[in-house]
Amino acid sequence: MWTSWWLLPLVAICTADRFREEAERIMRSTPVIDGHNDLPWQLLSKFNNRLRDQRANLTSLAHTKTSIPKLKAGFVGGQFWSAYTPCDTQNKDAVRRTLEQIDVIHRMCQMYPETFMWVTDSQGIRQAFQEGKVASLVGVEGGHSIDSSLGVLRAFYYLGMRYLTLTHSCNTPWADNWLVDTGDDVAESQGLSPFGQSVVREMNRLGVIVDLAHVSVATMKAVLRLSKAPVIFSHSSAYALCAHRRNVPDDVLRMVNQTRSLVMVNFYNDYVSCKPEATLSQVADHLDHIKAVAGAGAVGFGGDFDGVSRLPSGLEDVSKYPDLVAELLRRQWTEAEVRGALADNLLRVFEAVEEASNHAQSPEEEPIPLGKLETSCRTKYGYSEAPSLRQQPGALLASLAPLLLSLCLL
C-alpha cells in the first residue's frame, strides 16, 4: 500500500512528461499559427515604433508577453500581427495610424530576417515552416481603419493586409460591434449595411480573410450568410462557457461549421472564465466546446498576447503553447485534430479564401453615402449635392422646368 502511494506522483509526472514530449514532437513539424498578437501596439506605446531603441530589442525585450526567445520556445511558426489603432482615431487619423502599424511590422521583419518572414499567402506560410522562421502576416484590427473607403481597403491589401476585423469595440458607419449586444451601444446597421456588404464582397474578391472578432451577433450572422469564402474569429472564445458578448454563441458556431469557418480561441481571462482569474485547463475547455459544436476543423488559437491585461495561469506568454497542446493530447485529441488546431485549419481557410478571390472581377466602386459619414473633419470631393447631368437627366430637366416656363411667358 505504501509503495503505491509513492508511485502515484511519479506516474503522474512521467505521464505529464510524455504528453509534453508528444506536443513538442508534433509542433516541430506543425508549429502554431496564432491568429492575433498585439506586439506592434506595444512597440508603439512603449517605444513610439523606434525599433533601434535598445529597449525594443526583440531578442531581449522585457515586460511583454512576446519576444524572439519566447516565440521559439512556444514553437510559433506563424503569426498574424495586429495593425491596431483605437476607436478614438475613427473619423480622425485612423488611416495614418494603421499605415504606421503596418510599417512597423514590415520593419520588424526586415530587422530580424533570421526569425521573421514577411508573408502574404498560404504558400508563404508553408515556406516559412520549412525554413524554421515565423511567417509574419498583417491583420488590421477594426473596420474604422479603412475610413469607410473601398480604395483604402484595396490599398491595405496591396500593403500586405490579409485579414480585416470588421469592427473593434465601436460601430463603423457600416457594421455593428459587440457592445450593441450588451446595450452599451446602439445598432446602426442592423448587423451589416449595404455598404458593409460591399466591403465583404470586395474582401472576397481580393482574397482578404473576413474576421468577425469584436462584431455583434447580427453582424456575425449577416457575414456568414453573405461571404463566399470561410471567415475567421481571430481571437474569440465560446459564449456557452463564458457568457461574454465578445464570445461566439452556439447557434453561430453551427453556422461556422456549415461554412467551414474558424474560431481561434482567445486567452483573455475575462473571455475564458468571465472572472479575473483563469487557467490553462479552462482554455482547453473552450477548445473542447468549439470542437464539439462546430467540429475539429473549426478550432484554432488566437491568444491575444500583448493585447490583454490578464492571462490564465499556465499561459502567461507565447512560450507556453506546448503546455496547452499537451493538455489537448491528455484529453485524447488525435494527432490530426491537434495539427488542425495548430495550423492546418487556418491554412485550409486561407487557401479557400485565396481560391474564392478573383482579381479579374470588377472591383466594388459604389462609395458609402455621404450622410453616413461624420463630416466635420473631412472634405467632400467626389460627393455633390447637385444633380448629375449623366446620372439624373430627368431630375435636371425637372429642376429647369420652372425657369423655362418663366422665359416662355416673358
Side-chain angles (χ1 to χ4, degrees):
M1 176 66 73
W2 284 106
T3 303
S4 63
W5 280 109
W6 279 104
L7 283 175
L8 284 174
L10 293 174
V11 169
I13 292 170
C14 291
T15 303
D17 288 346
R18 176 170 66 83
F19 288 125
R20 171 69 190 222
E21 289 170 2
E22 182 72 359
E24 291 188 10
R25 180 189 67 80
I26 293 170
M27 296 179 81
R28 285 190 183 95
S29 55
T30 307
V32 63
I33 302 173
D34 180 87
H36 192 87
N37 186 298
D38 276 297
L39 178 63
W41 178 253
Q42 296 298 324
L43 296 175
L44 172 65
S45 60
K46 294 179 183 296
F47 313 113
N48 204 11
N49 285 342
R50 292 173 293 183
L51 296 183
R52 298 198 178 278
D53 186 319
Q54 290 185 352
R55 298 169 300 161
N57 188 325
L58 296 190
T59 63
S60 57
L61 191 61
H63 311 300
T64 59
K65 308 302 180 183
T66 310
S67 66
I68 288 173
K70 290 172 184 174
L71 288 166
K72 291 180 177 178
F75 293 89
V76 177
Q79 184 65 68
F80 280 92
W81 301 107
S82 175
Y84 164 70
T85 188
C87 282
D88 62 3
T89 64
Q90 185 162 213
N91 300 310
K92 298 174 186 174
D93 57 350
V95 174
R96 175 207 144 194
R97 289 287 188 176
T98 305
L99 287 169
E100 290 175 344
Q101 294 311 101
I102 294 174
D103 170 72
V104 81
I105 296 168
H106 268 284
R107 290 190 290 115
M108 187 175 76
C109 294
Q110 292 168 349
M111 193 166 182
Y112 301 94
E114 71 288 347
T115 299
F116 302 118
M117 178 183 288
W118 176 263
V119 164
T120 58
D121 57 26
S122 58
Q123 184 54 43
I125 296 175
R126 296 183 188 280
Q127 182 64 34
F129 282 7
Q130 291 176 7
E131 296 186 22
K133 297 182 180 181
V134 180
S136 295
L137 303 99
V138 173
V140 171
E141 186 182 15
H144 60 283
S145 285
I146 69 168
D147 197 28
S148 300
S149 167
L150 294 166
V152 173
L153 173 68
R154 286 186 282 270
F156 283 170
Y157 170 80
Y158 302 142
L159 291 172
M161 175 188 72
R162 288 302 179 267
Y163 80 58
L164 173 67
T165 316
L166 296 190
T167 73
H168 195 255
S169 298
C170 55
N171 291 340
T172 66
W174 43 272
D176 293 332
N177 84 100
W178 67 276
L179 289 170
V180 166
D181 296 330
T182 69
D184 293 324
D185 210 340
V186 178
E188 299 176 18
S189 300
Q190 312 312 313
L192 201 63
S193 76
F195 181 78
Q197 294 172 25
S198 293
V199 170
V200 172
R201 286 193 296 267
E202 186 65 359
M203 291 173 70
N204 286 167
R205 187 191 73 84
L206 289 168
V208 177
I209 302 169
V210 180
D211 177 23
L212 298 181
H214 285 281
V215 305
S216 71
V217 170
T219 307
M220 295 177 192
K221 293 180 177 179
V223 173
L224 284 162
R225 293 188 188 105
L226 174 65
S227 179
K228 293 181 179 179
V231 308
I232 66 170
F233 293 76
S234 67
H235 55 305
S236 297
S237 299
Y239 184 82
L241 299 189
C242 172
H244 194 293
R245 286 299 181 180
R246 268 285 280 106
N247 288 338
V248 188
D250 280 1
D251 58 338
V252 175
L253 286 178
R254 286 186 280 272
M255 295 178 73
V256 166
N257 172 266
Q258 293 163 6
T259 57
R260 305 196 73 222
S261 295
L262 180 65
V263 179
M264 308 182 84
V265 170
N266 193 313
F267 299 170
Y268 182 37
N269 290 358
D270 296 44
Y271 306 160
V272 172
S273 65
C274 287
K275 297 177 181 177
E277 296 81 27
T279 65
L280 179 151
S281 179
Q282 289 174 306
V283 173
D285 291 342
H286 282 263
L287 293 160
D288 275 342
H289 182 83
I290 293 167
K291 185 179 79 156
V293 177
V299 185
F301 301 116
D304 210 358
F305 286 110
D306 284 309
V308 295
S309 55
R310 293 182 290 274
L311 288 161
S313 59
L315 285 171
E316 292 84 1
D317 59 54
V318 298
S319 72
K320 303 296 184 179
Y321 273 112
D323 293 327
L324 180 56
V325 173
E327 176 64 19
L328 298 182
L329 292 168
R330 187 176 294 107
R331 294 178 181 216
Q332 300 185 329
W333 282 46
T334 68
E335 182 171 327
E337 289 171 342
V338 168
R339 290 186 188 276
L342 284 168
D344 291 349
N345 295 340
L346 185 280
L347 285 167
R348 172 188 56 78
V349 168
F350 201 177
E351 288 165 354
V353 169
E354 291 168 340
E355 185 176 347
S357 68
N358 183 2
H359 287 208
Q361 178 184 333
S362 297
E364 296 284 328
E365 287 190 330
E366 191 64 29
I368 192 168
L370 181 62
K372 295 289 187 180
L373 297 174
E374 165 59 53
T375 59
S376 61
C377 292
R378 69 176 73 240
T379 58
K380 301 179 184 179
Y381 299 118
Y383 291 99
S384 175
E385 296 179 3
S388 166
L389 285 169
R390 286 179 294 180
Q391 294 179 347
Q392 296 178 314
L396 178 60
L397 290 173
S399 67
L400 292 174
L403 176 60
L404 293 172
L405 180 61
S406 65
L407 289 173
C408 292
L409 295 175
L410 289 177

